[in-house]
Amino acid sequence: MNTIYQSNSGCTSTMKSRDLCFPAFLVSQFVDSLLVAKFILIGSGLAGGLLAAYLGRRGYDVDLYERRADPREGNIVGGRSINLAISTRGIHALEQIGIADEALQYAIPMRGRMIHDKSGALHFTPYDVDPKNCINSIGRAALNTTVIEAAQRYPNVRVHFNHKCTEVDLNSPVAHLETVNGAVTARGDAVIGVDGAFSAVRKSMQREIANFQYDESYLAHGYKELTLPPGPDGSWRMEKNALHIWPRKSFMMIALPNPDGSFTCTLFWEFEGPRSFATTQTKEDVRQFFDEEFPDALPLMPTLLEDFRNNPTGSLVTIRCAPWYYHDKICLLGDAAHAVVPFYGQGMNAAFEDCVVLDECLEKFHDNRQRAFAEYFSRRKENADALADLAIGNFVEMRDKTASRAFRAKKRLDHFLEGALPGIYLPLYTMVTFTRIPYADAARRARGQDHIVYGILICLPVFLIALLLFRLIIH
Ligand SMILES: Cc1cc2nc3c(=O)[nH]c(=O)nc-3n(C[C@H](O)[C@H](O)[C@H](O)COP(=O)(O)OP(=O)(O)OC[C@H]3O[C@@H](n4cnc5c(N)ncnc54)[C@H](O)[C@@H]3O)c2cc1C
C-alpha cells in the first residue's frame, strides 16, 4: 500500500515557486493564505499530543503519526519513567487548553524533599516558603492519554498509531512512514518533529541542512526503575506527599508516589566502575548493595531482585541543536529539539512550554509561518540551553549536597530571604519550578542573588569585628 496524504492546498511547494507564471503565483499565494495549513506531527508523546490540541484549536488541519500502538491499548512506557513531576510551567500549558483539572485529577502533590540518610534517619526540606507551591507526581501513561484525547476532540486532528517515521524530505515537506501494511508518505505544509530525543525528523535535518549544529552528551550514569509496592491496606509505606531522595554522593535513588499506594523508585548509578551497574550482576550483589546503601528501603521492596534483573537500564542524554526549523516547512519541539537530563524535573514542563510559545508565535505571525518558527526558536533556544545546564547542576546537588547540613542551612536562608524580601529575592528552584520566568533569566538572576548574599555573608563578620574593635578603642 502506498498512500499519499495530500496537503489541503493540494499543491506542492515546487509548483508554487517554479511552475506558475508571475500573476498566477501571486493569486496562488493569496488563495493559499485563505486555506487552512496542514501540519504533519511526528510523535504523539507528551508534547506531540498537547501540540496537536493547540494546533487543532487554532483551526489547522493536523495529522499526528506515532510509531507505537495507541496508549489506551496497553503499555506505552517502554522503559521510560512511569511517573513524572509536573509543575507550574507544565500546568500552565495544560490550563491554556482547558485540560489541567482532567490531567491533574490523580496527581499527588509533593511538598518537599524527604532525605533518607544511611542510618535511615529522615530530613524533610519543603520546596518553597509558600506551602501551596509543590510539584506533582503524575503518571506518564495517563497524562499521555489525556493530551491525545484533548487533541482528538478537534475534528480537524487525526491520530495515526503504528506509523514510524523513517525520514523526512525537508523541501516537500513529506514524511516517510513505515506501517505493518508497508510504507506510506504524509505530505503537509509543515512537518513538526515531536519525536523525542532520538528524533527521526532531526536526523533528516542533520543530513540535509548545511551547518546544522548538533551536540549530544551522555552522563556516565544510567538509571533503573524499581517498585516499592503499597502496604497491605493499599496505603503508602513512606510519606506520600514528598519526593524521596537517598543521596549517596556519586549516585542516588529517588522515589515518587503513585495513586495506587506504590512508589516508583529510580536508581541513578554509574554504568561502569568498581561499584556500578556493570559489576552488580548477581542477586547477592544487588541485595548487598541495597543493604549497605538503602537499608530502610530494602525491606519495602519485595520485588527488588526481579525488577533489577528485568527492568532496562536507561541512559541519560543532553541534546543541543540549532536551528530548530527549516524555512516554513520543518520545526522541532520538546525533546527532539532539546533533551535534558531529568534532575530538575523540567524536560516535559519545558516541552509543554514550547507548545505555548509556538502557539503564540503562530498567532502573531499567522500569515508567515517561517517568521513564527524563527521567533519560537529565538525565544526558546537560550532557555533550553540554560535548562540543560541547570539540570546537570542539579544532579550534583541532589545526589551529593542534599545530604549535608550546609545544604539545608542554605535552603533555610533562601526561604528566610524569600519571606523577608517578597518579590525581590526568589530562590533558583522556586523560579524554575514555581514561576514561568524564562530559564535563562532565572539562572542569571540566581547568580546575581548568590553574589550579593555570599558577599554579605563574607563581609558581615568582618564588619562586625571591625565595629567591635572600633568600640573597644574609643572606650
Ligand atoms: C527517567 C526520566 C525521568 C523524567 N522525569 C521528568 C520529570 O519528573 N518531569 C519532567 O518535566 N520531565 C521529566 N523527564 C523528561 C520527559 O520525559 C521528557 O522531557 C518528555 O517526555 C519529552 O516529551 P516529548 O513529547 O518531547 O518526547 P517523548 O515523550 O519522548 O515522546 C516522543 C514520542 O515520539 C514517538 N516517536 C519517536 N520516534 C518516532 C518515529 N520515528 N516515528 C513516529 N513516532 C516516533 C515516541 O514513541 C514517543 O511517543 C524525565 C525523563 C526521564 C528519562
Side-chain angles (χ1 to χ4, degrees), residues 42-48 65-68 80-81 84-85 140 163-165 194-196 200 223 334-335 342 345-349:
I42 306 297
S44 75
L46 298 175
Y65 294 94
E66 165 60 43
R67 71 175 171 192
R68 294 193 181 148
R80 301 288 301 283
S81 62
L84 311 104
R140 186 184 282 271
H163 281 66
K164 180 183 175 191
C165 176
V194 216
D195 48 346
Y223 71 93
D335 276 15
Q346 284 294 314
M348 165 196 60
N349 285 285

PDB file of all heavy atoms in Angstrom, residues 42-48 65-68 80-81 84-85 140 163-165 194-196 200 223 334-335 342 345-349, ligand 1:
ATOM      1  N   ILE A  42       5.079  14.399  13.965  1.00  0.00           N
ATOM      2  CA  ILE A  42       5.676  13.073  14.148  1.00  0.00           C
ATOM      3  C   ILE A  42       5.932  12.873  15.636  1.00  0.00           C
ATOM      4  O   ILE A  42       6.732  13.585  16.232  1.00  0.00           O
ATOM      5  CB  ILE A  42       7.007  12.940  13.366  1.00  0.00           C
ATOM      6  CG1 ILE A  42       6.825  13.282  11.889  1.00  0.00           C
ATOM      7  CG2 ILE A  42       7.596  11.535  13.548  1.00  0.00           C
ATOM      8  CD1 ILE A  42       5.884  12.365  11.127  1.00  0.00           C
ATOM      9  N   GLY A  43       5.214  11.898  16.246  1.00  0.00           N
ATOM     10  CA  GLY A  43       5.403  11.583  17.664  1.00  0.00           C
ATOM     11  C   GLY A  43       4.241  12.072  18.510  1.00  0.00           C
ATOM     12  O   GLY A  43       4.029  13.278  18.616  1.00  0.00           O
ATOM     13  N   SER A  44       3.483  11.127  19.065  1.00  0.00           N
ATOM     14  CA  SER A  44       2.387  11.547  19.947  1.00  0.00           C
ATOM     15  C   SER A  44       2.736  11.197  21.381  1.00  0.00           C
ATOM     16  O   SER A  44       1.964  10.571  22.099  1.00  0.00           O
ATOM     17  CB  SER A  44       1.056  10.913  19.537  1.00  0.00           C
ATOM     18  OG  SER A  44       1.031   9.563  19.919  1.00  0.00           O
ATOM     19  N   GLY A  45       3.941  11.619  21.810  1.00  0.00           N
ATOM     20  CA  GLY A  45       4.299  11.511  23.224  1.00  0.00           C
ATOM     21  C   GLY A  45       3.618  12.647  23.966  1.00  0.00           C
ATOM     22  O   GLY A  45       2.560  13.136  23.550  1.00  0.00           O
ATOM     23  N   LEU A  46       4.239  13.073  25.052  1.00  0.00           N
ATOM     24  CA  LEU A  46       3.597  14.093  25.882  1.00  0.00           C
ATOM     25  C   LEU A  46       3.426  15.400  25.115  1.00  0.00           C
ATOM     26  O   LEU A  46       2.339  15.984  25.093  1.00  0.00           O
ATOM     27  CB  LEU A  46       4.442  14.313  27.142  1.00  0.00           C
ATOM     28  CG  LEU A  46       4.559  13.067  28.033  1.00  0.00           C
ATOM     29  CD1 LEU A  46       5.509  13.315  29.187  1.00  0.00           C
ATOM     30  CD2 LEU A  46       3.185  12.657  28.553  1.00  0.00           C
ATOM     31  N   ALA A  47       4.490  15.863  24.455  1.00  0.00           N
ATOM     32  CA  ALA A  47       4.399  17.147  23.771  1.00  0.00           C
ATOM     33  C   ALA A  47       3.613  17.035  22.463  1.00  0.00           C
ATOM     34  O   ALA A  47       2.889  17.973  22.094  1.00  0.00           O
ATOM     35  CB  ALA A  47       5.807  17.685  23.488  1.00  0.00           C
ATOM     36  N   GLY A  48       3.728  15.897  21.775  1.00  0.00           N
ATOM     37  CA  GLY A  48       3.039  15.742  20.483  1.00  0.00           C
ATOM     38  C   GLY A  48       1.532  15.847  20.630  1.00  0.00           C
ATOM     39  O   GLY A  48       0.858  16.544  19.870  1.00  0.00           O
ATOM     40  N   TYR A  65       1.346  11.346  13.722  1.00  0.00           N
ATOM     41  CA  TYR A  65       1.792   9.965  13.485  1.00  0.00           C
ATOM     42  C   TYR A  65       2.667   9.493  14.640  1.00  0.00           C
ATOM     43  O   TYR A  65       3.624  10.187  15.021  1.00  0.00           O
ATOM     44  CB  TYR A  65       2.590   9.874  12.175  1.00  0.00           C
ATOM     45  CG  TYR A  65       1.733  10.161  10.969  1.00  0.00           C
ATOM     46  CD1 TYR A  65       1.669  11.442  10.435  1.00  0.00           C
ATOM     47  CD2 TYR A  65       0.966   9.156  10.394  1.00  0.00           C
ATOM     48  CE1 TYR A  65       0.858  11.718   9.348  1.00  0.00           C
ATOM     49  CE2 TYR A  65       0.157   9.421   9.311  1.00  0.00           C
ATOM     50  CZ  TYR A  65       0.108  10.704   8.790  1.00  0.00           C
ATOM     51  OH  TYR A  65      -0.699  10.962   7.720  1.00  0.00           O
ATOM     52  N   GLU A  66       2.361   8.327  15.166  1.00  0.00           N
ATOM     53  CA  GLU A  66       3.095   7.776  16.317  1.00  0.00           C
ATOM     54  C   GLU A  66       3.539   6.355  15.979  1.00  0.00           C
ATOM     55  O   GLU A  66       2.758   5.552  15.474  1.00  0.00           O
ATOM     56  CB  GLU A  66       2.167   7.786  17.544  1.00  0.00           C
ATOM     57  CG  GLU A  66       2.621   6.938  18.716  1.00  0.00           C
ATOM     58  CD  GLU A  66       3.983   7.339  19.290  1.00  0.00           C
ATOM     59  OE1 GLU A  66       4.240   8.547  19.441  1.00  0.00           O
ATOM     60  OE2 GLU A  66       4.784   6.413  19.565  1.00  0.00           O
ATOM     61  N   ARG A  67       4.807   6.064  16.303  1.00  0.00           N
ATOM     62  CA  ARG A  67       5.320   4.729  15.932  1.00  0.00           C
ATOM     63  C   ARG A  67       4.728   3.623  16.805  1.00  0.00           C
ATOM     64  O   ARG A  67       4.630   2.483  16.399  1.00  0.00           O
ATOM     65  CB  ARG A  67       6.843   4.700  16.018  1.00  0.00           C
ATOM     66  CG  ARG A  67       7.354   4.753  17.415  1.00  0.00           C
ATOM     67  CD  ARG A  67       8.854   4.614  17.514  1.00  0.00           C
ATOM     68  NE  ARG A  67       9.221   4.900  18.891  1.00  0.00           N
ATOM     69  CZ  ARG A  67      10.428   5.094  19.323  1.00  0.00           C
ATOM     70  NH1 ARG A  67      11.434   5.048  18.496  1.00  0.00           N
ATOM     71  NH2 ARG A  67      10.654   5.352  20.579  1.00  0.00           N
ATOM     72  N   ARG A  68       4.314   3.986  18.028  1.00  0.00           N
ATOM     73  CA  ARG A  68       3.799   2.953  18.933  1.00  0.00           C
ATOM     74  C   ARG A  68       2.306   2.759  18.740  1.00  0.00           C
ATOM     75  O   ARG A  68       1.653   3.533  18.041  1.00  0.00           O
ATOM     76  CB  ARG A  68       4.037   3.367  20.374  1.00  0.00           C
ATOM     77  CG  ARG A  68       5.502   3.413  20.681  1.00  0.00           C
ATOM     78  CD  ARG A  68       5.733   3.503  22.158  1.00  0.00           C
ATOM     79  NE  ARG A  68       7.168   3.561  22.368  1.00  0.00           N
ATOM     80  CZ  ARG A  68       7.762   4.194  23.344  1.00  0.00           C
ATOM     81  NH1 ARG A  68       7.058   4.796  24.242  1.00  0.00           N
ATOM     82  NH2 ARG A  68       9.071   4.208  23.435  1.00  0.00           N
ATOM     83  N   ARG A  80      10.667   4.032  29.844  1.00  0.00           N
ATOM     84  CA  ARG A  80      10.755   5.425  30.311  1.00  0.00           C
ATOM     85  C   ARG A  80      10.111   5.550  31.674  1.00  0.00           C
ATOM     86  O   ARG A  80       9.398   4.670  32.145  1.00  0.00           O
ATOM     87  CB  ARG A  80      10.025   6.343  29.325  1.00  0.00           C
ATOM     88  CG  ARG A  80      10.576   6.281  27.937  1.00  0.00           C
ATOM     89  CD  ARG A  80      11.919   6.965  27.844  1.00  0.00           C
ATOM     90  NE  ARG A  80      11.832   8.366  28.236  1.00  0.00           N
ATOM     91  CZ  ARG A  80      11.339   9.308  27.444  1.00  0.00           C
ATOM     92  NH1 ARG A  80      10.902   9.029  26.251  1.00  0.00           N
ATOM     93  NH2 ARG A  80      11.313  10.564  27.843  1.00  0.00           N
ATOM     94  N   SER A  81      10.326   6.715  32.307  1.00  0.00           N
ATOM     95  CA  SER A  81       9.811   6.901  33.660  1.00  0.00           C
ATOM     96  C   SER A  81       8.302   6.700  33.695  1.00  0.00           C
ATOM     97  O   SER A  81       7.573   7.185  32.836  1.00  0.00           O
ATOM     98  CB  SER A  81      10.171   8.303  34.134  1.00  0.00           C
ATOM     99  OG  SER A  81       9.561   9.257  33.307  1.00  0.00           O
ATOM    100  N   LEU A  84       6.144  11.257  36.526  1.00  0.00           N
ATOM    101  CA  LEU A  84       6.967  12.447  36.345  1.00  0.00           C
ATOM    102  C   LEU A  84       6.467  13.522  37.296  1.00  0.00           C
ATOM    103  O   LEU A  84       5.331  13.466  37.775  1.00  0.00           O
ATOM    104  CB  LEU A  84       6.836  13.035  34.941  1.00  0.00           C
ATOM    105  CG  LEU A  84       6.965  12.158  33.736  1.00  0.00           C
ATOM    106  CD1 LEU A  84       5.595  11.900  33.166  1.00  0.00           C
ATOM    107  CD2 LEU A  84       7.815  12.852  32.697  1.00  0.00           C
ATOM    108  N   ALA A  85       7.328  14.537  37.489  1.00  0.00           N
ATOM    109  CA  ALA A  85       6.922  15.681  38.301  1.00  0.00           C
ATOM    110  C   ALA A  85       6.477  16.800  37.361  1.00  0.00           C
ATOM    111  O   ALA A  85       7.237  17.217  36.489  1.00  0.00           O
ATOM    112  CB  ALA A  85       8.095  16.140  39.160  1.00  0.00           C
ATOM    113  N   ARG A 140       2.843   8.942  33.587  1.00  0.00           N
ATOM    114  CA  ARG A 140       3.139   9.288  32.192  1.00  0.00           C
ATOM    115  C   ARG A 140       2.036   8.797  31.256  1.00  0.00           C
ATOM    116  O   ARG A 140       1.582   9.518  30.365  1.00  0.00           O
ATOM    117  CB  ARG A 140       4.485   8.674  31.787  1.00  0.00           C
ATOM    118  CG  ARG A 140       4.977   9.075  30.399  1.00  0.00           C
ATOM    119  CD  ARG A 140       6.260   8.333  30.046  1.00  0.00           C
ATOM    120  NE  ARG A 140       7.431   8.891  30.689  1.00  0.00           N
ATOM    121  CZ  ARG A 140       8.192   9.863  30.190  1.00  0.00           C
ATOM    122  NH1 ARG A 140       7.901  10.411  29.028  1.00  0.00           N
ATOM    123  NH2 ARG A 140       9.249  10.288  30.836  1.00  0.00           N
ATOM    124  N   HIS A 163       2.661   4.067  13.151  1.00  0.00           N
ATOM    125  CA  HIS A 163       3.285   4.696  11.975  1.00  0.00           C
ATOM    126  C   HIS A 163       4.651   5.216  12.408  1.00  0.00           C
ATOM    127  O   HIS A 163       4.717   6.190  13.179  1.00  0.00           O
ATOM    128  CB  HIS A 163       2.453   5.872  11.462  1.00  0.00           C
ATOM    129  CG  HIS A 163       1.273   5.475  10.636  1.00  0.00           C
ATOM    130  ND1 HIS A 163       0.201   4.777  11.143  1.00  0.00           N
ATOM    131  CD2 HIS A 163       0.995   5.696   9.320  1.00  0.00           C
ATOM    132  CE1 HIS A 163      -0.689   4.584  10.179  1.00  0.00           C
ATOM    133  NE2 HIS A 163      -0.233   5.120   9.062  1.00  0.00           N
ATOM    134  N   LYS A 164       5.697   4.589  11.924  1.00  0.00           N
ATOM    135  CA  LYS A 164       7.045   5.011  12.317  1.00  0.00           C
ATOM    136  C   LYS A 164       7.674   5.846  11.213  1.00  0.00           C
ATOM    137  O   LYS A 164       7.790   5.378  10.069  1.00  0.00           O
ATOM    138  CB  LYS A 164       7.909   3.767  12.597  1.00  0.00           C
ATOM    139  CG  LYS A 164       9.317   4.126  12.999  1.00  0.00           C
ATOM    140  CD  LYS A 164      10.158   2.892  13.190  1.00  0.00           C
ATOM    141  CE  LYS A 164      11.592   3.305  13.476  1.00  0.00           C
ATOM    142  NZ  LYS A 164      12.504   2.206  13.418  1.00  0.00           N
ATOM    143  N   CYS A 165       8.073   7.041  11.565  1.00  0.00           N
ATOM    144  CA  CYS A 165       8.716   7.906  10.560  1.00  0.00           C
ATOM    145  C   CYS A 165      10.154   7.433  10.349  1.00  0.00           C
ATOM    146  O   CYS A 165      10.887   7.218  11.315  1.00  0.00           O
ATOM    147  CB  CYS A 165       8.690   9.351  11.060  1.00  0.00           C
ATOM    148  SG  CYS A 165       9.538  10.480   9.966  1.00  0.00           S
ATOM    149  N   VAL A 194       8.110  15.984  16.867  1.00  0.00           N
ATOM    150  CA  VAL A 194       7.863  15.936  18.327  1.00  0.00           C
ATOM    151  C   VAL A 194       8.181  14.508  18.741  1.00  0.00           C
ATOM    152  O   VAL A 194       7.486  13.908  19.559  1.00  0.00           O
ATOM    153  CB  VAL A 194       6.392  16.280  18.668  1.00  0.00           C
ATOM    154  CG1 VAL A 194       6.322  17.054  19.967  1.00  0.00           C
ATOM    155  CG2 VAL A 194       5.686  17.018  17.565  1.00  0.00           C
ATOM    156  N   ASP A 195       9.241  13.975  18.127  1.00  0.00           N
ATOM    157  CA  ASP A 195       9.517  12.547  18.246  1.00  0.00           C
ATOM    158  C   ASP A 195      10.685  12.231  19.170  1.00  0.00           C
ATOM    159  O   ASP A 195      11.403  11.254  18.976  1.00  0.00           O
ATOM    160  CB  ASP A 195       9.701  11.906  16.855  1.00  0.00           C
ATOM    161  CG  ASP A 195      10.648  12.670  15.948  1.00  0.00           C
ATOM    162  OD1 ASP A 195      10.974  13.824  16.271  1.00  0.00           O
ATOM    163  OD2 ASP A 195      11.061  12.116  14.921  1.00  0.00           O
ATOM    164  N   GLY A 196      10.844  13.064  20.191  1.00  0.00           N
ATOM    165  CA  GLY A 196      11.727  12.709  21.285  1.00  0.00           C
ATOM    166  C   GLY A 196      13.212  12.851  20.999  1.00  0.00           C
ATOM    167  O   GLY A 196      13.639  13.302  19.929  1.00  0.00           O
ATOM    168  N   ALA A 200      13.666  11.250  14.424  1.00  0.00           N
ATOM    169  CA  ALA A 200      13.946  10.964  13.007  1.00  0.00           C
ATOM    170  C   ALA A 200      13.876  12.249  12.186  1.00  0.00           C
ATOM    171  O   ALA A 200      14.604  12.412  11.199  1.00  0.00           O
ATOM    172  CB  ALA A 200      12.925   9.955  12.485  1.00  0.00           C
ATOM    173  N   TYR A 223      20.058   4.841  34.515  1.00  0.00           N
ATOM    174  CA  TYR A 223      19.000   4.763  35.529  1.00  0.00           C
ATOM    175  C   TYR A 223      18.201   3.475  35.371  1.00  0.00           C
ATOM    176  O   TYR A 223      18.085   2.938  34.272  1.00  0.00           O
ATOM    177  CB  TYR A 223      18.076   5.987  35.465  1.00  0.00           C
ATOM    178  CG  TYR A 223      17.163   6.046  34.263  1.00  0.00           C
ATOM    179  CD1 TYR A 223      15.866   5.518  34.314  1.00  0.00           C
ATOM    180  CD2 TYR A 223      17.586   6.618  33.076  1.00  0.00           C
ATOM    181  CE1 TYR A 223      15.023   5.570  33.215  1.00  0.00           C
ATOM    182  CE2 TYR A 223      16.755   6.670  31.972  1.00  0.00           C
ATOM    183  CZ  TYR A 223      15.476   6.150  32.047  1.00  0.00           C
ATOM    184  OH  TYR A 223      14.648   6.195  30.955  1.00  0.00           O
ATOM    185  N   GLY A 334      10.081  20.065  21.916  1.00  0.00           N
ATOM    186  CA  GLY A 334      10.253  19.106  23.013  1.00  0.00           C
ATOM    187  C   GLY A 334      11.631  18.461  22.966  1.00  0.00           C
ATOM    188  O   GLY A 334      12.608  19.075  22.522  1.00  0.00           O
ATOM    189  N   ASP A 335      11.701  17.199  23.415  1.00  0.00           N
ATOM    190  CA  ASP A 335      12.997  16.518  23.478  1.00  0.00           C
ATOM    191  C   ASP A 335      13.675  16.440  22.110  1.00  0.00           C
ATOM    192  O   ASP A 335      14.903  16.342  22.033  1.00  0.00           O
ATOM    193  CB  ASP A 335      12.821  15.092  24.019  1.00  0.00           C
ATOM    194  CG  ASP A 335      12.798  15.054  25.542  1.00  0.00           C
ATOM    195  OD1 ASP A 335      12.627  16.118  26.156  1.00  0.00           O
ATOM    196  OD2 ASP A 335      12.944  13.945  26.113  1.00  0.00           O
ATOM    197  N   PRO A 342      17.091  14.369  33.671  1.00  0.00           N
ATOM    198  CA  PRO A 342      15.818  14.621  34.377  1.00  0.00           C
ATOM    199  C   PRO A 342      15.917  15.259  35.763  1.00  0.00           C
ATOM    200  O   PRO A 342      14.916  15.307  36.472  1.00  0.00           O
ATOM    201  CB  PRO A 342      15.225  13.205  34.499  1.00  0.00           C
ATOM    202  CG  PRO A 342      16.374  12.290  34.471  1.00  0.00           C
ATOM    203  CD  PRO A 342      17.442  12.946  33.655  1.00  0.00           C
ATOM    204  N   GLY A 345      13.503  17.894  36.907  1.00  0.00           N
ATOM    205  CA  GLY A 345      12.084  17.569  36.689  1.00  0.00           C
ATOM    206  C   GLY A 345      11.434  18.561  35.740  1.00  0.00           C
ATOM    207  O   GLY A 345      10.279  18.970  35.928  1.00  0.00           O
ATOM    208  N   GLN A 346      12.150  18.956  34.677  1.00  0.00           N
ATOM    209  CA  GLN A 346      11.638  20.021  33.816  1.00  0.00           C
ATOM    210  C   GLN A 346      11.542  19.656  32.334  1.00  0.00           C
ATOM    211  O   GLN A 346      11.046  20.462  31.549  1.00  0.00           O
ATOM    212  CB  GLN A 346      12.531  21.270  33.950  1.00  0.00           C
ATOM    213  CG  GLN A 346      12.308  22.033  35.238  1.00  0.00           C
ATOM    214  CD  GLN A 346      10.922  22.657  35.315  1.00  0.00           C
ATOM    215  OE1 GLN A 346      10.454  23.260  34.366  1.00  0.00           O
ATOM    216  NE2 GLN A 346      10.253  22.486  36.439  1.00  0.00           N
ATOM    217  N   GLY A 347      12.010  18.469  31.932  1.00  0.00           N
ATOM    218  CA  GLY A 347      12.018  18.153  30.492  1.00  0.00           C
ATOM    219  C   GLY A 347      10.628  18.272  29.873  1.00  0.00           C
ATOM    220  O   GLY A 347      10.435  18.948  28.860  1.00  0.00           O
ATOM    221  N   MET A 348       9.664  17.603  30.488  1.00  0.00           N
ATOM    222  CA  MET A 348       8.292  17.672  29.969  1.00  0.00           C
ATOM    223  C   MET A 348       7.706  19.064  30.185  1.00  0.00           C
ATOM    224  O   MET A 348       7.002  19.584  29.311  1.00  0.00           O
ATOM    225  CB  MET A 348       7.436  16.649  30.700  1.00  0.00           C
ATOM    226  CG  MET A 348       5.971  16.864  30.511  1.00  0.00           C
ATOM    227  SD  MET A 348       4.990  15.958  31.711  1.00  0.00           S
ATOM    228  CE  MET A 348       5.540  16.602  33.262  1.00  0.00           C
ATOM    229  N   ASN A 349       8.002  19.665  31.332  1.00  0.00           N
ATOM    230  CA  ASN A 349       7.483  21.011  31.590  1.00  0.00           C
ATOM    231  C   ASN A 349       7.961  21.978  30.509  1.00  0.00           C
ATOM    232  O   ASN A 349       7.195  22.805  30.006  1.00  0.00           O
ATOM    233  CB  ASN A 349       7.936  21.482  32.976  1.00  0.00           C
ATOM    234  CG  ASN A 349       7.161  20.797  34.087  1.00  0.00           C
ATOM    235  OD1 ASN A 349       6.009  21.124  34.329  1.00  0.00           O
ATOM    236  ND2 ASN A 349       7.770  19.809  34.729  1.00  0.00           N
TER     237      ASN A 349
HETATM  238  C1  LIG B   1      13.954   8.881  33.920  1.00  0.00           C
HETATM  239  C2  LIG B   1      13.299  10.141  33.446  1.00  0.00           C
HETATM  240  C3  LIG B   1      12.576  10.907  34.342  1.00  0.00           C
HETATM  241  C4  LIG B   1      11.977  12.089  33.913  1.00  0.00           C
HETATM  242  N1  LIG B   1      11.286  12.853  34.822  1.00  0.00           N
HETATM  243  C5  LIG B   1      10.744  14.018  34.433  1.00  0.00           C
HETATM  244  C6  LIG B   1      10.018  14.823  35.362  1.00  0.00           C
HETATM  245  O1  LIG B   1       9.865  14.469  36.537  1.00  0.00           O
HETATM  246  N2  LIG B   1       9.485  15.994  34.926  1.00  0.00           N
HETATM  247  C7  LIG B   1       9.631  16.420  33.636  1.00  0.00           C
HETATM  248  O2  LIG B   1       9.140  17.519  33.310  1.00  0.00           O
HETATM  249  N3  LIG B   1      10.316  15.689  32.728  1.00  0.00           N
HETATM  250  C8  LIG B   1      10.867  14.502  33.102  1.00  0.00           C
HETATM  251  N4  LIG B   1      11.545  13.736  32.186  1.00  0.00           N
HETATM  252  C9  LIG B   1      11.693  14.241  30.812  1.00  0.00           C
HETATM  253  C10 LIG B   1      10.469  13.907  29.987  1.00  0.00           C
HETATM  254  O3  LIG B   1      10.242  12.524  29.989  1.00  0.00           O
HETATM  255  C11 LIG B   1      10.659  14.387  28.543  1.00  0.00           C
HETATM  256  O4  LIG B   1      11.187  15.680  28.526  1.00  0.00           O
HETATM  257  C12 LIG B   1       9.339  14.375  27.806  1.00  0.00           C
HETATM  258  O5  LIG B   1       8.867  13.052  27.701  1.00  0.00           O
HETATM  259  C13 LIG B   1       9.503  14.998  26.415  1.00  0.00           C
HETATM  260  O6  LIG B   1       8.322  14.858  25.704  1.00  0.00           O
HETATM  261  P1  LIG B   1       8.361  14.688  24.104  1.00  0.00           P
HETATM  262  O7  LIG B   1       6.953  14.546  23.703  1.00  0.00           O
HETATM  263  O8  LIG B   1       9.204  15.748  23.527  1.00  0.00           O
HETATM  264  O9  LIG B   1       9.149  13.329  23.865  1.00  0.00           O
HETATM  265  P2  LIG B   1       8.681  11.856  24.215  1.00  0.00           P
HETATM  266  O10 LIG B   1       7.860  11.853  25.456  1.00  0.00           O
HETATM  267  O11 LIG B   1       9.911  11.029  24.168  1.00  0.00           O
HETATM  268  O12 LIG B   1       7.723  11.451  23.019  1.00  0.00           O
HETATM  269  C14 LIG B   1       8.208  11.195  21.726  1.00  0.00           C
HETATM  270  C15 LIG B   1       7.188  10.344  21.012  1.00  0.00           C
HETATM  271  O13 LIG B   1       7.592  10.196  19.666  1.00  0.00           O
HETATM  272  C16 LIG B   1       7.465   8.840  19.289  1.00  0.00           C
HETATM  273  N5  LIG B   1       8.445   8.587  18.249  1.00  0.00           N
HETATM  274  C17 LIG B   1       9.788   8.522  18.373  1.00  0.00           C
HETATM  275  N6  LIG B   1      10.365   8.297  17.185  1.00  0.00           N
HETATM  276  C18 LIG B   1       9.360   8.194  16.288  1.00  0.00           C
HETATM  277  C19 LIG B   1       9.323   7.960  14.898  1.00  0.00           C
HETATM  278  N7  LIG B   1      10.449   7.755  14.208  1.00  0.00           N
HETATM  279  N8  LIG B   1       8.121   7.937  14.269  1.00  0.00           N
HETATM  280  C20 LIG B   1       6.968   8.135  14.964  1.00  0.00           C
HETATM  281  N9  LIG B   1       6.951   8.353  16.297  1.00  0.00           N
HETATM  282  C21 LIG B   1       8.127   8.397  16.955  1.00  0.00           C
HETATM  283  C22 LIG B   1       7.738   8.058  20.576  1.00  0.00           C
HETATM  284  O14 LIG B   1       7.204   6.754  20.519  1.00  0.00           O
HETATM  285  C23 LIG B   1       7.056   8.946  21.600  1.00  0.00           C
HETATM  286  O15 LIG B   1       5.702   8.617  21.749  1.00  0.00           O
HETATM  287  C24 LIG B   1      12.124  12.524  32.578  1.00  0.00           C
HETATM  288  C25 LIG B   1      12.867  11.749  31.674  1.00  0.00           C
HETATM  289  C26 LIG B   1      13.440  10.572  32.106  1.00  0.00           C
HETATM  290  C27 LIG B   1      14.230   9.756  31.124  1.00  0.00           C
END
